[in-house]
Amino acid sequence: MPRTNTPPHIKWLLNERAALVGKALQLERQFAELATKRDKTSARISALDRAIALFDSSVSPTAVKPVNAWKGRYGARGELMAALRECLMAAAPSAVTTLELAVMLQTRFGLEFSHPAEQQRWRKNSLLRALKRLVALGEVQRLHEGERLGAHTSGRWRYREERPTLEALAAAAGVKREAS
């Protein structure tokens, strides 16, 4: 059987077509998933309508206009804090710099910034605020406490591990300690 060469312009057209067919198949799968989600959501709405009618039939379920439920930049509420905990726990007992955390979280959440100033604002307003909340909750240690960080210096953070006291260890071992 003689071998034939496909002209480059035909190869390009075939490749473009194959890519679009792949995209169309991907969209069909997404449509099916969305249809399932829509049906489940409609069923939950109907159940809530019935519950409202049971409590007070004079209340119209459509009296309140639809609202956009919370879906932040990081997914569900609390996802940024959970991701921070996860990153710091994975590194424990070592410390992680703010810059390293920023890179990990940008990758995890697919964040892209059009300008370095935008990235800096995100670090200051979202990342550092979440880290400070974790410090306030007692879950994270700020290892650069009291240090003045320069413009190109990154703070260090570590997950706070609960370490048992000598009394707790002695009690667990069944040893009675004498007061000193």
Side-chain angles (χ1 to χ4, degrees):
M1 181 168 179
R3 189 170 176 169
T4 60
N5 287 333
T6 306
H9 61 282
I10 300 295
K11 282 183 187 178
W12 182 86
L13 290 169
L14 289 169
N15 282 337
E16 286 298 305
R17 183 188 184 286
L20 289 173
V21 168
K23 182 68 174 172
L25 290 172
Q26 180 184 12
L27 289 170
E28 288 298 327
R29 285 191 295 275
Q30 289 175 346
F31 287 150
E33 289 172 13
L34 287 173
T36 302
K37 286 182 181 180
R38 181 197 60 219
D39 294 344
K40 286 180 181 179
T41 302
S42 294
R44 291 179 68 194
I45 291 169
S46 296
L48 287 170
D49 289 349
R50 288 191 301 276
I52 291 168
L54 286 173
F55 282 105
D56 188 346
S57 60
S58 67
V59 174
S60 170
T62 59
V64 178
K65 292 182 179 179
V67 296
N68 288 325
W70 173 268
K71 171 127 177 32
R73 194 172 193 180
Y74 316 108
R77 190 177 293 274
E79 285 294 313
L80 177 61
M81 296 277 282
L84 267 173
R85 277 187 195 98
E86 197 176 292
C87 290
L88 290 165
M89 285 173 143
S94 299
V96 182
T97 66
T98 308
L99 189 57
E100 290 168 333
L101 285 169
V103 170
M104 286 185 243
L105 294 172
Q106 284 173 227
T107 303
R108 178 174 179 151
F109 293 114
L111 302 176
E112 293 181 14
F113 301 101
S114 58
H115 193 271
E118 184 184 2
Q119 183 180 31
Q120 187 126 14
R121 278 191 305 274
W122 172 78
R123 272 202 309 262
K124 181 180 177 187
N125 296 330
S126 296
L127 178 60
L128 285 175
R129 186 172 287 157
L131 281 165
K132 288 175 183 177
R133 262 186 266 143
L134 288 172
V135 168
L137 291 169
E139 296 182 41
V140 171
Q141 280 181 295
R142 178 183 304 163
L143 299 179
H144 56 280
E145 192 73 45
E147 294 178 29
R148 292 204 37 94
L149 299 178
H152 302 290
T153 309
S154 190
R156 295 179 326 279
W157 310 85
R158 178 172 59 198
Y159 191 75
R160 184 183 297 266
E161 297 184 69
E162 290 300 317
R163 295 197 174 114
T165 62
L166 285 176
E167 289 77 21
L169 289 172
V175 177
K176 195 171 192 179
R177 288 194 64 203
E178 294 181 24
S180 47

